[in-house]
Amino acid sequence: MLTGMHVAIIGGDARQLEVIRKLMELDTKLSLVGFDQLDHGFAGVTKMKIHEVDFHDVDAIILPVHGTNMDGEIQTVFSNEKMTFTEELLRQTPTHCTVYSGITNDYLDHVVKAVGRKHVQLFERDDVAIYNSIPTAEGTVMMVIQHTDVTIHGSRIAVLGLGRVGMTVARTFAALGARVKVGARRSEHLARIAEMSLEPFHLNDLEQHVKDIDVCINTIPHMVVTASVIAKMPAHTLIIDLASKPGGTDFRYAEKRGIQALLAPGLPGIVAPKTAGQIVANVLAQLLSADLKKRKENKK
């Protein structure tokens, strides 16, 4: 239980609803900011404007999965209120206050570091990333079905990267009967690809391996699908880039060449917000519980 802990949830999308439900079950004191248009009847929680929150009493701040933009603005789908996460706001919190978000950026890193607060990026955790790879793979299947005119079964698909997302995506498409090849750089990844009965290739040879593919799925957050790579693809190839913005694809050249290229970060929150929210909520509950326990022990 999180009785006695005060958590401010600021902004977000449908995933945050699962976080609210979970923390309510654990008897957390919740202050909801940016949820004034929310119809759900969450008894026992308080909807507030950001300037109304007493941050001197807040033990944890939960930001949206994407944190803030580069101007510090916090996005929410449940309010038209403009909310900005600032150093001034964070300095009001106790020194033990922890900031949680899915990912970060230079602005958010600067604010948290300047004030000296702990910042946890949930999507950097292996457990969250692996759980999230499941709805990501399902969403990718949906996009391939929507944007191609052939079956996945028998299609030639190249997956770039064998990280936490790439492995699940490659395995999913192979299970649907696609002919999957996977590009990686590390020798252990190439060995694992072969062990999975998929076709491995080194990313240095990417241009040679896209000449006969129907779909290219990139999971690498660096420029990998360059103009020279796209130039070698068949005209009907579909590119789906799952890497975080701005992705790893030369979208300008793809458009010029007439190849459909889609940037699709954050698929879990789009195709399965309830499941994605439960993943975040369960991990947050564990982290907050551990934090509360540690603070109680330190007071003894």
Side-chain angles (χ1 to χ4, degrees):
M1 300 296 285
L2 296 175
T3 306
M5 177 170 265
H6 184 190
V7 176
I9 301 179
I10 307 177
D13 53 26
R15 286 172 284 190
Q16 300 297 73
L17 304 184
E18 299 304 317
V19 174
I20 295 170
R21 290 190 183 96
K22 183 69 175 181
L23 297 187
M24 282 179 60
E25 292 174 4
L26 296 173
D27 195 32
T28 315
K29 178 183 176 182
L30 294 178
S31 295
L32 305 185
V33 180
F35 291 88
D36 48 274
Q37 296 176 1
L38 182 63
D39 293 330
H40 291 68
F42 290 117
V45 300
T46 306
K47 297 178 184 178
M48 312 176 77
K49 300 290 186 181
I50 196 165
H51 65 273
E52 296 174 340
V53 180
D54 182 9
F55 284 100
H56 297 91
D57 184 46
V58 170
D59 300 303
I61 296 173
I62 300 176
L63 297 175
V65 164
H66 295 291
T68 71
N69 65 16
M70 288 302 294
D71 296 318
E73 293 181 4
I74 302 169
Q75 302 299 315
T76 179
V77 300
F78 299 109
S79 175
N80 294 322
E81 176 188 2
K82 183 177 180 180
M83 301 172 295
T84 305
F85 191 71
T86 64
E87 285 187 37
E88 180 183 8
L89 180 154
L90 193 56
R91 287 189 191 281
Q92 299 175 46
T93 62
T95 55
H96 67 261
C97 180
T98 301
V99 178
Y100 296 91
S101 64
I103 58 177
T104 189
N105 58 29
D106 290 343
Y107 176 90
L108 186 54
D109 284 342
H110 171 76
V111 169
V112 175
K113 185 176 181 180
V115 181
R117 297 295 183 265
K118 182 181 178 182
H119 181 204
V120 176
Q121 300 173 53
L122 298 173
F123 284 9
E124 289 296 311
R125 293 174 56 94
D126 282 337
D127 52 0
V128 174
I130 292 170
Y131 283 131
N132 265 325
S133 72
I134 299 169
T136 297
E138 291 186 9
T140 308
V141 169
M142 176 191 72
M143 294 181 70
V144 171
I145 292 172
Q146 288 176 336
H147 296 282
T148 60
D149 55 4
V150 295
T151 60
I152 290 175
H153 190 281
S155 293
R156 293 161 297 185
I157 295 180
V159 177
L160 309 184
L162 196 76
R164 297 165 298 192
V165 173
M167 183 177 291
T168 303
V169 168
R171 184 183 292 119
T172 299
F173 278 91
L176 291 171
R179 289 181 281 173
V180 180
K181 60 174 73 174
V182 184
R185 295 191 188 280
R186 292 163 55 177
S187 59
E188 62 267 34
H189 285 179
L190 294 170
R192 177 61 66 188
I193 295 162
E195 182 274 331
M196 294 167 64
S197 297
L198 305 177
E199 180 185 346
F201 68 91
H202 198 284
L203 284 171
N204 288 345
D205 303 321
L206 179 56
E207 290 184 19
Q208 300 302 315
H209 284 272
V210 299
K211 292 180 177 180
D212 62 347
I213 62 172
D214 302 302
V215 181
C216 177
I217 302 170
N218 178 53
T219 69
I220 303 171
H222 305 290
M223 182 56 67
V224 179
V225 189
T226 61
S228 59
V229 171
I230 295 170
K232 300 293 192 302
M233 293 179 177
H236 69 273
T237 303
L238 170 67
I239 301 171
I240 297 179
D241 199 320
L242 302 177
S244 55
K245 291 182 180 179
T249 299
D250 188 335
F251 291 97
R252 182 202 63 81
Y253 184 77
E255 182 178 7
K256 181 178 180 180
R257 170 105 198 277
I259 287 181
Q260 188 173 20
L262 307 172
L263 179 61
L267 274 180
I270 297 171
V271 302
K274 186 178 182 69
T275 299
Q278 289 171 343
I279 292 168
V280 172
N282 290 335
V283 173
L284 274 171
Q286 294 172 16
L287 294 173
L288 291 170
S289 179
D291 183 52
L292 181 60
K293 181 180 179 180
K294 183 178 179 180
R295 284 197 287 115
K296 286 180 177 179
E297 291 174 347
N298 289 339
K299 289 181 179 179
K300 293 180 180 179

